[in-house]
Amino acid sequence: MSRWNFGNLGLSPATIKLIASSCPSNDLARTNKVFVNPSDLRTTSELAIINSKFVYVVSSHEGVEPSQIGFNAIQRRELRLAIRDHVEVTPLEWSKKSSIEAKAATFEVDLVSKRAGPIEAEADEITPLCVRNLVGHVSTVGQSYVIDFYGSSLLLKCTSLVAESTVERAILKPTTEFYFAKAPGSGVKIKGGDSRPKDVFRSDFDFEKMGIGGLDKEFSDIFRRAFASRVFPPAVIQKLGIQHVKGMLLYGPPGTGKTLIARQIGKMLNGKEPKVVNGPEILNKYVGQSEENIRNLFQDAETEYAEQGDSSELHIIIFDEIDAICKQRGSTNSSSGVGDTVVNQLLSKIDGVNALNNILVIGMTNRKDMIDEALLRPGRLEVHVEISLPDETGRQQILRIHTAKMQQNGMLDRDVNLETIAAETKNYSGAEIEGLCKSAAAFALNRHVDYRDLKKEVDTSGVRVTMNDFQRALVEVQPAFGMGKDDFARCLLGGFLIHGDRVRKALEAGKLFRNEVASSDRSPLLSILIEGPPGTGKTALAALLAVESGFPFVRLISPESFVGYSDFSKCQALAKVFDDAHKSSLSVIVLDNVERIFEWTPIGPRFSNSVLQTLMILAKQVPPKGRRLLILATTSNIQVMERLDFKQAFSAILSTQTMERNEIESVLDGTAESMNISQQADGTLASLHSSGLTPTLFRSLGERDMAVSLLENEQLGVKKLLMILNMARTPTSDGQHMIELDRLRAVLEDVL
């Protein structure tokens, strides 16, 4: 039997129609119940849905007329009721089995009277009042309650309910956790109110699906430093006495994914959409406008922080190419000084007197050295994350991303091995790997195009990207931080000749140092000085060690690279090469004819001290953690290296010498070991004689011995020896080439 007296009302049990009236008294108004006459309710308390909107606890009271129902002012306002309006009341059966119990409930707190002065309230003080007054109520999201807070009437509006998941309606129990936040425009300041764990990241985000690969470690660092503290409730952070990280800087070579992270970061975060701005967009020709553009970026965060305090949502501001607006102050020659004032404005917004705690500024640049150092200190852009060139695992991820649609649509041939391609793309950035995939696709499409008849319909059914297409693309798309192949091919044009034990030992020693750099954790930097007279094979030895190293970054720095450069420009160019080398996991730098690089001349004597000091500093600069560098320098004047203290900058010294008799004989007899890196049909060692021990360059052994004696007396290096032998050859009637002693003597007189 129902506890409602439907007979008295003359209504069906499903719905009861009553007339709205005011609450019997102010004290009863704070109970958040609604009241009916005892004749209309047989029990002292019941649950009912009013106008199909909110659930209230209904109690009987003699101060309410029969067929009426009494509401307080807040209830009438949220139900949009006037006195004497008709109200539909539906009894609610809320059994233990079917009830949804709230595990957590969040309320916005405001003052009932806007004329009341601002007050401060601790969350721990409001919670017991809610337990005493609200437990047993079935709350609905959007429903409001009034509680007495030490003489002040607080208005609590339910904003969220959590049971097993987020729900719209649930019963409040003594075990329910209550959380509080300041209502917009409220005069109540809540301390320690929002102690809920915050869900910063979306649960379904995946780097590979977002198009970002090879940055797992970098993202882990970003999360740990910039986002981990934001997952915890504000109350926990307040107890620790710390503030959230307000800024971080992503830096690294072009094409490694810095801007891509910025473009996708909004997809992996809950909350407000990040503001993405390119650095140059801030600048404006009108006085004060650039600074106002900076202020406008922070306006929304300031407004919300004033309303919500530490409970406000995270506002992310992303600056792409931040070096455009945050150069070192005082470094620009502009009379307006706009650049300096923009930096000052940004500094004050991030970490000024009225600093915000709900912002995260992310800057991106490939020129970290240009940014004002005040912006990089803790409290500002304090987290510095290098987005470097991807390793082999990262390159596989990037290749899978850019070939995913080919794979899904059956346009990637089965012979394509992404692991092999990843192994062959050392020092490729993410953008260059994307270009590689585009190039391979272009080769595949090209096979189906008839350039003689461009109007002919293209057959798309057989389009397949094969491994051969990728191999051709590897030749076409070269990494910016790869090997300068043309320079080293010139240094090894005639191959490398091992003409004796001294050369073999120097080569083996060089390989030993090279392997030490490649494999040992204790030697991230080794510098080798190769000295010897001109023409003794110093450059060829350094080039061979560099080319055979297999290191992904190999650079040749020679004096001709700096013709016409000022000292300042030369220092900048040298620093850039070393900076690029430090971005690769394994690097080799060859400094050829190093005394000419710093412009040594014996007349005076004269040299560029600024370039010399730059080289000395760079040669001793240890690469960053996880990076290794081998420096090979060549010189023909070891005495100069000693006088200028440049010799002490090197870890070891290798020497090349002029040729001895047995070494000359090995060249003439063809017993010298030739390592032909790049061989031409004419002018190489292979064209001097046929293989074997028979002396084919001379008519007899006697002439050969006399030639050896002539050459031995001249103290020749291997480079000059080969040149003289080539010049002394004369053609014979059978198409061969022989060396005549008279011609050899004439060449020696002319050359030497």
Side-chain angles (χ1 to χ4, degrees):
M1 183 176 178
S2 173
R3 291 172 297 229
W4 289 84
N5 192 353
F6 296 106
N8 290 345
L9 302 172
L11 298 171
S12 66
T15 304
I16 304 168
K17 287 190 176 181
L18 300 175
I19 298 172
S21 65
S22 61
C23 193
S25 69
N26 290 333
D27 291 337
L28 293 176
R30 290 192 177 93
T31 64
N32 297 292
K33 298 178 181 179
V34 296
F35 297 90
V36 297
N37 189 274
S39 63
D40 297 328
L41 184 65
R42 294 175 178 175
T43 61
T44 57
S45 183
E46 183 63 273
L47 293 174
I49 302 176
I50 307 298
N51 283 354
S52 303
K53 192 172 184 181
F54 296 127
V55 177
Y56 294 97
V57 176
V58 183
S59 292
S60 59
H61 193 277
E62 293 181 351
V64 181
E65 297 291 330
S67 302
Q68 292 187 0
I69 181 168
F71 298 96
N72 65 29
I74 301 300
Q75 293 166 342
R76 293 200 305 274
R77 185 173 63 194
E78 66 184 5
L79 290 171
R80 304 186 71 81
L81 292 175
I83 299 296
R84 309 298 299 174
D85 278 355
H86 286 83
V87 181
E88 292 186 354
V89 181
T90 304
L92 178 65
E93 294 294 334
W94 195 270
S95 65
K96 291 185 178 179
K97 292 183 179 180
S98 62
S99 66
I100 301 175
E101 297 182 1
K103 292 184 177 180
T106 304
F107 295 90
E108 285 186 349
V109 182
D110 199 354
L111 291 168
V112 172
S113 174
K114 297 297 183 181
R115 284 181 265 177
I119 64 170
E120 291 187 359
E122 293 279 353
D124 293 341
E125 295 175 322
I126 304 177
T127 298
L129 299 177
C130 290
V131 172
R132 189 166 63 212
N133 291 281
L134 301 185
V135 166
H137 287 255
V138 176
S139 184
T140 305
V141 174
Q143 189 169 355
S144 298
Y145 302 93
V146 179
I147 64 171
D148 177 57
F149 181 75
Y150 308 120
S152 299
S153 295
L154 296 183
L155 180 65
L156 275 61
K157 182 178 181 180
C158 182
T159 56
S160 72
L161 294 165
V162 177
E164 297 300 327
S165 60
T166 302
V167 294
E168 287 295 313
R169 180 175 291 162
I171 188 168
L172 303 178
K173 307 290 285 185
T175 56
T176 302
E177 294 184 10
F178 291 90
Y179 302 115
F180 307 100
K182 177 185 175 184
S186 171
V188 181
K189 184 176 181 181
I190 305 296
K191 292 185 178 180
D194 192 357
S195 56
R196 295 167 297 169
K198 292 194 174 182
D199 189 10
V200 177
F201 288 92
R202 295 183 180 178
S203 59
D204 58 345
F205 86 91
D206 181 355
F207 252 5
E208 290 200 15
K209 290 180 181 178
M210 291 166 60
I212 302 175
L215 297 174
D216 295 342
K217 180 182 179 301
E218 288 81 357
F219 176 71
S220 177
D221 292 341
I222 291 171
F223 176 82
R224 177 178 59 84
R225 296 294 305 277
F227 293 107
S229 65
R230 298 182 185 275
V231 174
F232 290 89
V236 175
I237 303 303
Q238 289 174 4
K239 290 176 182 177
L240 287 172
I242 63 172
Q243 286 192 328
H244 300 301
V245 167
K246 298 177 184 177
M248 64 179 175
L249 181 70
L250 308 180
Y251 68 97
T256 51
K258 301 182 297 297
T259 304
L260 184 59
I261 289 177
R263 193 182 303 141
Q264 300 289 359
I265 202 166
K267 296 182 180 180
M268 64 184 180
L269 292 175
N270 284 321
K272 297 186 179 298
E273 191 76 15
K275 294 181 180 180
V276 182
V277 57
N278 291 319
E281 294 177 357
I282 293 295
L283 302 178
N284 194 289
K285 65 180 180 179
Y286 295 107
V287 175
Q289 187 62 51
S290 301
E291 295 85 339
E292 184 177 347
N293 292 339
I294 293 288
R295 291 194 294 271
N296 291 338
L297 291 174
F298 292 84
Q299 185 62 49
D300 293 341
E302 288 177 340
T303 302
E304 184 173 349
Y305 194 73
E307 294 286 340
Q308 302 289 339
D310 289 336
S311 298
S312 62
E313 292 188 30
L314 176 64
H315 292 251
I316 298 178
I317 303 171
I318 299 173
F319 287 93
D320 197 9
E321 306 297 341
I322 194 172
D323 52 279
I325 61 170
C326 293
K327 291 185 175 67
Q328 291 280 353
R329 284 171 289 182
S331 62
T332 57
N333 296 323
S334 173
S335 59
S336 64
V338 171
D340 292 357
T341 57
V342 168
V343 175
N344 294 335
Q345 182 70 78
L346 187 58
L347 292 176
S348 66
K349 284 298 179 183
I350 298 176
D351 190 31
V353 176
N354 299 317
L356 306 174
N357 202 29
N358 63 336
I359 59 168
L360 178 64
V361 178
I362 303 176
M364 289 165 293
T365 181
N366 53 17
R367 293 297 306 275
K368 181 183 175 183
D369 57 297
M370 295 178 62
I371 298 177
D372 191 278
E373 60 184 15
L375 196 62
L376 303 180
R377 72 155 175 82
R380 292 163 183 172
L381 301 187
E382 61 181 278
V383 179
H384 303 165
V385 180
E386 182 178 8
I387 310 299
S388 57
L389 297 170
D391 58 12
E392 188 167 334
T393 303
R395 295 196 295 272
Q396 289 183 26
Q397 291 181 6
I398 298 170
L399 283 167
R400 284 196 297 270
I401 289 169
H402 293 299
T403 59
K405 287 198 173 180
M406 299 181 193
Q407 186 78 42
Q408 292 170 5
N409 298 311
M411 304 183 78
L412 189 68
D413 200 83
R414 292 183 178 179
D415 70 341
V416 175
N417 190 322
L418 298 183
E419 289 76 12
T420 301
I421 299 171
E424 295 180 5
T425 50
K426 295 178 180 177
N427 271 29
Y428 277 70
S429 67
E432 288 164 343
I433 293 175
E434 181 183 6
L436 180 76
C437 296
K438 290 179 182 177
S439 176
F443 281 117
L445 294 171
N446 186 61
R447 290 195 297 272
H448 297 267
V449 177
D450 185 359
Y451 290 100
R452 293 170 296 183
D453 186 7
L454 295 177
K455 294 183 179 180
K456 182 179 178 181
E457 185 176 354
V458 178
D459 181 16
T460 60
S461 60
V463 176
R464 295 287 186 280
V465 181
T466 66
M467 190 66 178
N468 183 57
D469 295 325
F470 275 100
Q471 293 295 343
R472 295 173 69 185
L474 283 168
V475 177
E476 183 175 74
V477 180
Q478 294 294 322
F481 296 94
M483 178 188 293
K485 295 181 179 180
D486 294 339
D487 294 335
F488 288 100
R490 175 170 49 83
C491 296
L492 295 166
L493 188 61
F496 186 82
L497 189 65
I498 303 177
H499 49 73
D501 290 339
R502 295 188 300 173
V503 177
R504 183 175 285 103
K505 289 180 180 178
L507 181 59
E508 290 175 354
K511 290 180 178 179
L512 185 64
F513 288 120
R514 186 183 67 196
N515 295 337
E516 174 71 11
V517 172
S519 59
S520 175
D521 294 332
R522 298 182 179 180
S523 304
L525 172 67
L526 278 179
S527 50
I528 313 300
L529 180 63
I530 304 174
E531 65 89 16
T536 53
K538 303 181 297 297
T539 301
L541 175 60
L544 180 66
L545 291 171
V547 171
E548 285 194 333
S549 68
F551 288 10
F553 183 92
V554 181
R555 278 289 187 274
L556 174 66
I557 302 176
S558 56
E560 55 264 31
S561 305
F562 303 114
V563 173
Y565 277 49
S566 65
D567 286 355
F568 178 73
S569 298
K570 191 180 292 187
C571 292
Q572 281 190 318
L574 288 169
K576 185 179 185 308
V577 173
F578 277 82
D579 185 52
D580 290 346
H582 291 163
K583 295 172 183 175
S584 176
S585 56
L586 287 170
S587 305
V588 180
I589 294 177
V590 177
L591 300 170
D592 188 30
N593 209 354
V594 68
E595 68 271 20
R596 293 288 173 236
I597 295 178
F598 56 76
E599 301 176 10
W600 164 263
T601 177
I603 301 174
R606 180 193 176 279
F607 62 93
S608 172
N609 186 57
S610 59
V611 178
L612 173 64
Q613 297 302 323
T614 298
L615 280 172
M616 292 182 70
I617 292 169
L618 294 175
K620 292 182 177 181
Q621 183 180 0
V622 179
K625 185 178 180 180
R627 316 290 168 81
R628 298 171 184 176
L629 174 62
L630 175 65
I631 301 172
L632 299 170
T634 68
T635 180
S636 299
N637 199 331
I638 190 64
Q639 294 80 14
V640 171
M641 302 293 106
E642 293 174 346
R643 290 174 60 187
L644 298 178
D645 286 336
F646 194 29
K647 181 179 175 181
Q648 52 89 22
F650 294 91
S651 310
I653 296 176
L654 300 179
S655 296
T656 59
Q657 305 295 332
T658 55
M659 301 186 70
E660 297 177 346
R661 183 179 182 88
N662 64 318
E663 294 171 340
I664 296 173
E665 289 175 343
S666 69
V667 174
L668 296 180
D669 295 343
T671 58
E673 182 182 348
S674 176
M675 301 178 66
N676 291 318
I677 308 300
S678 176
Q679 224 179 53
Q680 304 291 332
D682 185 45
T684 65
L685 295 171
S687 64
L688 287 175
H689 44 65
S690 60
S691 60
L693 299 177
T694 305
T696 57
L697 293 176
F698 300 92
R699 298 184 186 279
S700 65
L701 288 174
E703 288 188 5
R704 175 259 196 192
D705 293 339
M706 292 179 65
V708 171
S709 299
L710 287 172
L711 295 169
E712 181 185 8
N713 293 332
E714 301 298 340
Q715 297 292 306
L716 299 173
V718 63
K719 183 177 179 181
K720 189 164 288 187
L721 172 66
L722 296 176
M723 181 188 71
I724 289 172
L725 293 178
N726 271 307
M727 294 175 66
R729 289 185 302 160
T730 57
T732 61
S733 58
D734 58 358
Q736 300 295 321
H737 287 76
M738 304 295 292
I739 294 180
E740 300 286 349
L741 285 178
D742 291 340
R743 182 169 177 79
L744 180 60
R745 290 190 184 95
V747 170
L748 288 172
E749 289 178 2
D750 293 340
V751 173
L752 303 177

